[in-house]
Amino acid sequence: MNATPLRHDWSRQEIEYLLNLPFNDLLYRAQSVHRERFDPNRIQVSTLLSIKTGACAEDCGYCSQSAKYNTELEREKLLPLEQVLQAAQAAKEKGATRFCMGAAWRNPTDSNLTRVVEMIQGVHDLGMETCVTLGMLTAAQAERLKTAGLDYYNHNLDTSPEFYGNVISTRTFQDRLETLAHVRSQGINVCSGGILGMGESRRDRASMLAELANLPQHPESVPINMLVQVEGTPLYGTAALDPLEFVRTIAVARILMPQSYVRLSAGRTQMSDETQALCFLAGANSMFYGDRLLTTDNPEADQDIELFRRLGLDFEETSELQATAARCSDRQRSGEAEAAGGAPG
Ligand code: SAM
Ligand code: DTB
Ligand code: SF4
């Protein structure tokens, strides 16, 4: 059976139709698409570390790290390399295949980037995939990250273009698209998604998904975050989103972007095990693992291991990216053996 072809021409109306399907029909469809390309019982896990915390110049209405809001967050300067590598090593020992480093910057300066490049190289040398999220990038900065060997850049669209102005005023939706284009043009894998539960409508969720799915190439990774409500931020106190609406959005992301890793991202601490199980059934196959996100809590590793046991899920130990790299170096080795006169296997 041929896998569902990738499309980049979704209309918002078609996506709203999917979001409106009876729940069982939607989940059946999403799970069917999921099984065409993925092992349904394997989940990719990444661990996050905030490498520079707080005092951010942006005004993202959900964020604990904006200098504009009084959130009682302790600020931290850029962490020393050694501390970052120790955290990456610990994440690797617990089973994470990817290490994501986040910085509370509007955009990195070139000297910031010099320090981050050392971190990327150090984490890569530990045998892990690397991801960073540093804010807006210029084309030249994206090129520096590519040269450093960066695997993924996370930069979220966050919400629909229509709702965007209700959440952020210090940078535009278009700025975000431009950063994604710089990252993509360097051949770095794109991680981009958004946040649900900020008071947006179903139409906004459809519109955000249309923006993601109609990018020239689907993001390799699509994080879907549930708003973590932080006291002191403008979005604190927003009416909670129905968890089944969150599951629906995950299912539609899976249908629209069949080849992408859809990440059940922030908000799991406040979610029941049953909601998380439905997210996996809807096609989520990636998550953050480790007891901390950037500045807020994530479930304890032991709790996730127990949930995986109950659901019969496994960690994806070797990601697609590592498997491809291994295949390439096998080919290279067998090519070298052939050149040296040895028989390839
Ligand atoms: N400062 C950089 C930026 O904004 O691009 C990188 C770090 S920022 C914290 C990364 C993403 O985390 C945001 O774009 C947003 O989607 C998500 N995020 C931040 N705070 C959140 C919250 N309270 N709840 C859910 N997601 C959140
Ligand atoms: C993403 O989409 N979610 C992560 C990661 N990308 C960088 C961040 C979630 C942050 C949640 C709030 C906090 O811990 O500060
Ligand atoms: Fe700053 Fe990123 Fe938080 Fe926005 S989401 S305030 S850019 S750290």
Side-chain angles (χ1 to χ4, degrees):
M1 189 184 66
N2 291 334
T4 308
L6 304 185
R7 283 181 51 193
H8 301 270
D9 59 353
W10 292 93
S11 70
R12 199 198 63 231
Q13 288 75 7
E14 272 179 290
I15 300 174
E16 280 191 272
Y17 169 82
L18 291 171
L19 283 169
N20 285 330
L21 281 174
F23 192 76
N24 287 347
D25 291 345
L26 175 58
L27 260 69
Y28 177 73
R29 195 157 158 183
Q31 178 64 203
S32 305
V33 168
H34 189 48
R35 282 171 186 255
E36 289 174 358
R37 297 177 195 257
F38 290 105
D39 176 339
N41 301 312
R42 285 197 185 269
I43 308 290
Q44 186 275 329
V45 294
S46 306
T47 293
L48 269 172
L49 177 71
S50 180
I51 57 170
K52 185 267 170 185
T53 307
C56 184
E58 301 286 292
D59 69 352
C60 312
Y62 48 76
C63 189
S64 62
Q65 307 203 65
S66 167
K68 307 226 180 333
Y69 316 129
N70 192 0
T71 61
E72 295 184 1
L73 179 76
E74 230 171 279
R75 300 172 169 194
E76 254 177 25
K77 290 198 175 128
L78 188 57
L79 295 180
L81 177 63
E82 275 318 302
Q83 200 174 327
V84 173
L85 297 186
Q86 274 166 18
Q89 179 65 37
K92 183 183 172 185
E93 283 164 13
K94 286 193 168 169
T97 49
R98 192 179 306 159
F99 195 64
C100 303
M101 296 167 271
W105 288 320
R106 172 178 167 77
N107 53 268
T109 63
D110 290 342
S111 70
N112 290 152
L113 220 54
T114 303
R115 304 255 319 265
V116 175
V117 160
E118 288 172 1
M119 295 174 189
I120 292 167
Q121 288 165 341
V123 174
H124 174 82
D125 290 347
L126 293 175
M128 298 181 87
E129 291 174 356
T130 53
C131 175
V132 294
T133 178
L134 313 171
M136 292 188 284
L137 293 182
T138 63
Q141 288 179 324
E143 190 179 355
R144 279 188 74 190
L145 291 173
K146 177 64 184 175
T147 308
L150 179 69
D151 296 313
Y152 289 81
Y153 195 82
N154 167 245
H155 197 64
N156 290 340
L157 294 184
D158 274 355
T159 191
S160 67
E162 300 78 18
F163 194 71
Y164 188 88
N166 295 48
V167 182
I168 301 149
S169 78
T170 47
R171 72 167 91 140
T172 64
F173 195 84
Q174 187 57 33
D175 289 332
R176 289 180 187 257
L177 293 174
E178 278 166 24
T179 291
L180 291 183
H182 294 322
V183 170
R184 184 54 91 196
S185 71
Q186 287 302 321
I188 299 170
N189 291 300
V190 169
C191 171
S192 188
I195 310 178
L196 311 185
M198 299 195 294
E200 77 288 344
S201 62
R202 188 178 266 187
R203 174 184 273 229
D204 288 311
R205 289 187 281 279
S207 173
M208 177 184 86
L209 290 173
E211 291 288 331
L212 291 167
N214 293 338
L215 287 169
Q217 207 178 321
H218 294 161
E220 280 73 13
S221 172
V222 180
I224 305 292
N225 297 274
M226 180 74 110
L227 173 69
V228 178
Q229 299 211 4
V230 179
E231 213 170 334
T233 60
L235 290 182
Y236 183 73
T238 305
L241 183 71
D242 175 2
L244 294 180
E245 185 66 19
F246 187 86
V247 176
R248 281 180 180 275
T249 312
I250 296 250
V252 175
R254 165 52 65 225
I255 294 167
L256 303 185
M257 294 168 278
Q259 201 168 261
S260 306
Y261 279 75
V262 175
R263 180 172 302 147
L264 165 55
S265 214
R268 290 197 302 116
T269 306
Q270 291 76 25
M271 239 172 243
S272 70
D273 286 353
E274 292 78 5
T275 301
Q276 294 186 58
L278 284 174
C279 289
F280 297 132
L281 188 63
N285 60 345
S286 170
M287 67 178 206
F288 288 118
Y289 170 65
D291 58 8
R292 206 82 183 131
L293 292 167
L294 289 172
T295 67
T296 65
D297 289 341
N298 200 40
E300 298 283 338
D302 290 355
Q303 210 176 316
D304 280 339
I305 288 170
E306 176 57 12
L307 179 62
F308 271 43
R309 188 195 63 72
R310 288 168 68 208
L311 299 176
L313 295 175
D314 276 324
F315 280 5
E316 184 187 77
E317 279 162 23
T318 309
S319 72
E320 284 292 305
L321 205 62
Q322 288 170 329
T324 310
R327 276 197 299 277
C328 290
S329 64
D330 281 352
R331 268 203 296 277
Q332 207 176 339
R333 265 199 300 278
S334 70
E336 280 161 11
E338 231 176 318

